[in-house]
Amino acid sequence: METWKRRTLYYVSTLVAVFVGYALIYDYGMAVHEGHTQPFYQSMQVVVETFTTTGYGSDAPWETPEMNLFVMLMDLTGVVLIFAALPVFVVPLFEDALSTTLPTSVEDLEDHVVICTHTPRAETLISELESWDVEYVVVEPDRETALDLYESDYSVIHGDPESVETLENANLDAATALVADAGDEVDVSIVLTAREAAEDVRIVSVVEEPDHEAYHELAGVDEVLSPRRLVGESLADKITTAVSTELGDVVEIGSDFEIAELSVQRGSELVGHTLAESGIRERSGANVIGAWTRGEFETPPSPETELAAGTVLLVAGRQAQLERLNDLASSTARSPRRGTVLVVGHGEVGSTVTDALAAANISYTVVDVADKPGVDVQGDTTNPETLEQAGIEQARTVVFTVADDTLTGFGTLVARDLNPDIEVLARAEETGNVKKLYRAGADYVLALATVSGRMLASTILEREEVISMDKQVEIVRTTATEFVGQSLAETDIRARTGCTVVAVERDGSVVTELGPDFHFRRGDDVIVAGTDESVGRFTTLAN
């Protein structure tokens, strides 16, 4: 709007100067060439009539060529000024009138979270904040992105997060926390600006490269999160589980009671059977509380759910029970530790994976488009010849760690074509692409955006503890004040929220035997498992 006002002032000033100048020349020309004198205001009237094309009245026609040429010059000047006004003055005026006015500040917003800027991982964080009725505002410098968010009913302001004025307009001094997630270098600038705008506000940042953590801390960040490292460790755990008989990473809930994700491997005796036919409960003692099949989560899973290669089971039980179930879910066709692991991509996630494989003494081959230290085969990671050179036909597992979901999906199809029996694990950059990668043939997909959002939520929300951030489902310890005095059957939690109550912590002990008659008491901490959306519904309903 300031630009439009400045242009308008320049245009009007030019117009007035041209009018007066032409009026003076016209007045002089009429006296000298036509022998006709008149008041100056009449000369001004002729100029205005000429520029506005309303006619000339009694002052036309002119007899001398000098005056006729001058009038023609005035005609042309008027046309030029009118056309100049369209792009400079009229069009911007109409654009401003028709376009959506984006907010640049917030009013009366307190105890909120300021998010700089909008990223895929911010989606998970926003979902968590909304489930707890915690207000937020996204500071977005890109107008088109801000407009899309605004029209989608997000709380957003358009402005530069590196500007003190913008952060003050976001009411930062009354905020609970600020999240800096715009790139490692930009985040440092945002943090320094935030400390100037509100010295005591809590600041959390997300780093792409762990080496940059120190600089974020020096800038004044209270907590630096490195989700890529966690994703790499989680994928490495899935790989070591796939090539060994050991139970992978578990979530300890209480004394000898754990929750784990177990993948049904290709060649397992469970493949092709329904959950009821598998007899998992009878044979292992573990409880299946959820199942992921090609990106679709079901809790509780139907007894008719067919177990396929790549089905991820969310199970709970004692360690011995989980180990027995792990044996059932493992492949019987191939011996443990047989076959090389292909790691496609050697960035932060890929290097974390290879470090874990090296520590576990598991053979691996690294494929990357760039020739750099640690890379065994250099070439296009979606080219069949590159993967063949890396030995994909003899490999047992391939893990895609590249940051491009399109390349990961294409590479998954190529890998599955070259080796139909290979186990494919993949990192997804965005949560929305998880199902797409499953359809391409991946056995296990972990979204970086989901992990990042959960890490941010767990750091910011003191009322919610995300027990495990790197699982296909969210496992949360929280309160359930609205359910106090009600039985588990009366709350009907599964039907109303879509998540499962796994255990309840009461007076320092963990209760895992939760029948329909179990009653919630004041002070109970409830441990629930489900998708991010279902856990969000639970927290909204229970508090």
Side-chain angles (χ1 to χ4, degrees), residues 267-518:
S268 165
E269 61 181 277
L270 299 179
V271 172
H273 297 281
T274 65
L275 193 60
E277 294 170 345
S278 69
I280 288 177
R281 172 64 176 169
E282 296 77 15
R283 299 169 67 184
S284 68
N287 288 317
V288 178
I289 56 180
W292 277 90
T293 304
R294 298 301 182 201
E296 296 289 345
F297 181 69
E298 184 182 10
T299 181
S302 167
E304 300 306 313
T305 299
E306 184 173 339
L307 303 177
T311 299
V312 179
L313 302 177
L314 182 69
V315 295
R318 296 189 299 275
Q319 184 175 10
Q321 295 172 331
L322 298 184
E323 288 176 348
R324 285 196 292 271
L325 178 52
N326 185 56
D327 290 338
L328 294 174
S330 298
S331 173
T332 59
R334 288 171 285 187
S335 60
R337 300 186 182 273
R338 180 184 173 186
T340 300
V341 175
L342 256 60
V343 181
V344 180
H346 199 53
E348 177 59 29
V349 177
S351 59
T352 302
V353 170
T354 55
D355 288 345
L357 294 178
N361 196 28
I362 296 173
S363 174
Y364 63 86
T365 300
V366 178
V367 183
D368 196 278
V369 69
D371 186 10
K372 53 187 176 182
V375 175
D376 301 304
V377 178
Q378 185 265 332
D380 183 355
T381 57
T382 62
N383 190 326
E385 293 181 0
T386 302
L387 296 182
E388 286 175 344
Q389 183 182 351
I392 193 168
E393 294 175 344
Q394 294 76 40
R396 175 181 178 121
T397 303
V398 58
V399 53
F400 289 91
T401 68
V402 294
D404 188 320
D405 292 349
T406 300
L407 294 181
T408 298
F410 193 88
T412 299
L413 291 169
V414 173
R416 185 66 69 206
D417 180 59
L418 295 174
N419 186 346
D421 294 327
I422 198 168
E423 189 154 23
V424 180
L425 311 180
R427 159 259 186 103
E429 191 70 11
E430 298 185 20
T431 305
N433 291 328
V434 170
K435 291 182 180 180
K436 186 188 301 182
L437 295 179
Y438 273 118
R439 287 195 296 270
D443 293 297
Y444 184 88
V445 183
L446 186 59
L448 176 66
T450 299
V451 173
S452 305
R454 288 177 184 170
M455 292 178 75
L456 288 168
S458 182
T459 302
I460 294 170
L461 296 174
E462 297 180 355
R463 292 169 292 176
E464 176 184 276
E465 179 188 355
V466 181
I467 300 175
S468 181
M469 290 169 282
D470 60 337
K471 302 298 181 189
Q472 293 272 17
V473 294
E474 189 173 17
I475 304 170
V476 172
R477 180 186 287 106
T478 183
T479 56
T481 55
E482 294 297 318
F483 294 155
V484 172
Q486 299 182 52
S487 68
L488 193 59
E490 290 172 335
T491 59
D492 200 16
I493 290 172
R494 281 182 173 174
R496 297 169 69 186
T497 68
C499 62
T500 300
V501 177
V502 178
V504 172
E505 289 191 8
R506 174 178 294 170
D507 299 329
S509 61
V510 178
V511 182
T512 59
E513 298 297 330
L514 304 175
D517 296 330
F518 176 85

Side-chain angles (χ1 to χ4, degrees), residues 140-151:
E140 179 53 54
D142 182 74
R143 175 177 172 79
E144 292 302 320
T145 302
L147 182 61
D148 289 341
L149 294 173
Y150 181 71
E151 292 178 344

Side-chain angles (χ1 to χ4, degrees), residues 174-245:
T176 299
L178 177 141
V179 174
D181 187 15
D184 289 359
E185 291 79 8
V186 177
D187 285 348
V188 169
S189 177
I190 292 174
V191 172
L192 294 173
T193 305
R195 286 299 176 212
E196 183 178 348
E199 185 176 354
D200 297 327
V201 71
R202 188 182 183 196
I203 300 177
V204 181
S205 68
V206 179
V207 294
E208 306 284 342
E209 300 292 338
D211 293 342
H212 294 161
E213 288 185 22
Y215 303 111
H216 283 227
E217 292 170 351
L218 288 172
V221 174
D222 294 296
E223 189 149 2
V224 184
L225 305 180
S226 182
R228 279 175 169 74
R229 182 182 299 161
L230 181 58
V231 169
E233 292 170 352
S234 180
L235 287 173
D237 176 72
K238 289 296 180 294
I239 297 169
T240 54
T241 301
V243 298
S244 71
T245 57

Side-chain angles (χ1 to χ4, degrees), residues 97-233:
L98 296 174
S99 65
T100 302
T101 302
L102 287 171
T104 57
S105 63
V106 294
E107 296 180 2
D108 302 325
L109 197 59
E110 296 181 352
D111 299 326
H112 58 293
V113 177
V114 179
I115 304 173
C116 309
T117 57
H118 184 263
T119 62
R121 48 184 156 255
E123 289 293 329
T124 302
L125 173 60
I126 290 172
S127 297
E128 297 281 353
L129 296 176
E130 289 178 338
S131 70
W132 282 99
D133 291 327
V134 175
E135 294 186 286
Y136 70 92
V137 61
V138 178
V139 180
E140 179 53 54
D142 182 74
R143 175 177 172 79
E144 292 302 320
T145 302
L147 182 61
D148 289 341
L149 294 173
Y150 181 71
E151 292 178 344
S152 299
D153 294 327
Y154 284 79
S155 175
V156 61
I157 64 172
H158 179 224
D160 182 5
E162 300 176 66
S163 163
V164 173
E165 181 182 1
T166 299
L167 295 185
E168 288 177 345
N169 289 341
N171 211 12
L172 184 62
D173 58 351
T176 299
L178 177 141
V179 174
D181 187 15
D184 289 359
E185 291 79 8
V186 177
D187 285 348
V188 169
S189 177
I190 292 174
V191 172
L192 294 173
T193 305
R195 286 299 176 212
E196 183 178 348
E199 185 176 354
D200 297 327
V201 71
R202 188 182 183 196
I203 300 177
V204 181
S205 68
V206 179
V207 294
E208 306 284 342
E209 300 292 338
D211 293 342
H212 294 161
E213 288 185 22
Y215 303 111
H216 283 227
E217 292 170 351
L218 288 172
V221 174
D222 294 296
E223 189 149 2
V224 184
L225 305 180
S226 182
R228 279 175 169 74
R229 182 182 299 161
L230 181 58
V231 169
E233 292 170 352

